[in-house]
Amino acid sequence: MIGCTTWLHPYVFYLGAQPACKPANLVCVGRILCQMVPCGAEEVDEAIKSAHAAYLQWRKMAGMERARVICVLFIKGQHIQLPGGSFAYTRREPLGVCVGIGAWNYPFQIASWKSAPALACGNAMVFKPSPMTPVTAVILAEIYKEAGVPDGLFCVVQGGADTGTLLCQHPKVAKVSFTGSVPTGKKVMEMSAKGVKQVTLELGGKSPLLIFKDCELENAVKGALMANFLTQGEVCCNGTRVYVQREIMPQFLEKVVKRTKAIPVGDPLLDGTRMGALISKPHLEKVLGFVSQAKKEGAKVLCGGEPIVPSDPNLKGGYFMAPCVLDNCRDDMTCVKEEIFGPVMSVLPFDTEEEVIGRANNTTFGLASGVFTRDISRAHRVAENLEAGTCFINNYNISPVEVPFGGYKMSGFGRENGQVTIEYYSQLKTVVVEMGDVDSLF
Ligand SMILES: NC(=O)c1ccc[n+]([C@@H]2O[C@H](COP(=O)([O-])OP(=O)(O)OC[C@H]3O[C@@H](n4cnc5c(N)ncnc54)[C@H](O)[C@@H]3O)[C@@H](O)[C@H]2O)c1
Ligand SMILES: NCCCC=O
């Protein structure tokens, strides 16, 4: 299998174990979508070697040539004039074989956000999806192959922590781009440090959303729902700490609860559905555990927070829950401090701008943030003062690929998307050119 675009060990992957079933259904109702055996040291080594062989050809191609198969961003160096007509220039060169390790919540998007800029900059990539979502990275490999990406340049290896460890420790790997939780991110950074490999870390969050009394309330309510319930709340940058200025709290809660109760939960392949099942039974139990803990600590459940069985008998056994709004929250509660990664919104009152900024920043995370206000000066002042990699003004969870995305503090470093990504998938070579004689001291 060396040299193929998709790294599929014959014993690794059984796609379509139940071909009559729709994938989303299979995930929803807990039936088997596919089975796989994790890649071990031998397969990981073969995948990296095949990626390296492809890289040696790919790196020599001009951007225009690579653009025939992948839409290449403008990659350019600088010209620097020196005394006496001499000059220097810089070249942006690829790093080599990059590793991508993905989380389960946005499996196709994560694989694309990492591999597309990596390949565009002239690198190869070996990608390991989460064992919870092994399929879509393979589909991406097939798309690349169809587009003309050379064999071996984008390889998919399957597996969990052990396979991820082998990838991070492999001496031929130049960079690891990781998306996942903070504890795993720390391990990835530690392993990469031993080999002095570059790292990008896209980690978890507990982002604040600030709603001022001068906001357009309907938009703020819609924004709060987008910030909490998109993709069942399994979104790293969700604004799950919703700070609402005290004067508008009653109206806000009434509207937010009414809309939350009306969210259609069920089969995500149906047009009318707005929320599907959570990723797994243990994850559902973990999210429900956060709701129980919140109640014990004094929060009031205004709606949701319990498992639900949709009326469609095909969905029985799926990991569905009713989206939840928690009132009476305080900053010291577990539901306000920890990432829940499910459809649970914690609402907290505030009085002044200064106070709420201090509270919003009082966290080790710093992935995203949001503010709803009609006051343009306040909006930009708040955006400047919030310690987060993104601040959404009068909306939430907008992530087009043209716009850089990434964290502050323990939410990670490095950026994905936008022109700046080039800096994270290339290295700068300086070439100094002497136009006169050598002025030697010796
Ligand atoms: N910032 C972002 O862009 C972003 C995007 C999506 C998800 N996330 C975060 O991801 C988390 C949820 O995803 P998860 O549960 O899959 O995270 P996770 O950390 O458990 O796993 C992420 C990936 O790391 C692999 N892995 C586990 N142990 C490893 C090890 N020791 N060495 C190398 N690889 C290892 C896993 O197999 C998986 O592929 C949440 O915290 C969420 O906020 C962040
Ligand atoms: N909006 C992109 C979020 C990816 C993280 O979960």
Side-chain angles (χ1 to χ4, degrees), residues 98-179:
C98 301
V99 157
I101 298 179
W104 47 259
N105 65 325
Y106 274 75
F108 189 83
Q109 178 191 283
I110 291 171
S112 316
W113 281 12
K114 294 188 188 308
S115 59
L119 268 48
C121 288
N123 304 284
M125 176 163 273
V126 177
F127 186 82
K128 189 197 83 58
S130 162
M132 305 295 292
T133 50
V135 180
T136 47
V138 179
I139 295 171
L140 179 63
E142 288 166 358
I143 292 169
Y144 278 139
K145 194 173 174 67
E146 204 174 300
V149 165
D151 279 356
L153 198 72
F154 178 72
C155 294
V156 179
V157 294
Q158 301 290 352
D162 291 346
T163 310
T165 300
L166 288 166
L167 289 168
C168 295
Q169 291 176 342
H170 198 286
K172 261 203 149 53
V173 168
K175 176 191 172 114
V176 182
S177 177
F178 172 81
T179 296

Side-chain angles (χ1 to χ4, degrees), residues 307-326:
I308 52 171
V309 181
S311 49
D312 180 349
N314 287 325
L315 302 181
K316 278 209 166 58
Y319 316 123
F320 296 93
M321 72 172 278
C324 176
V325 177
L326 295 174

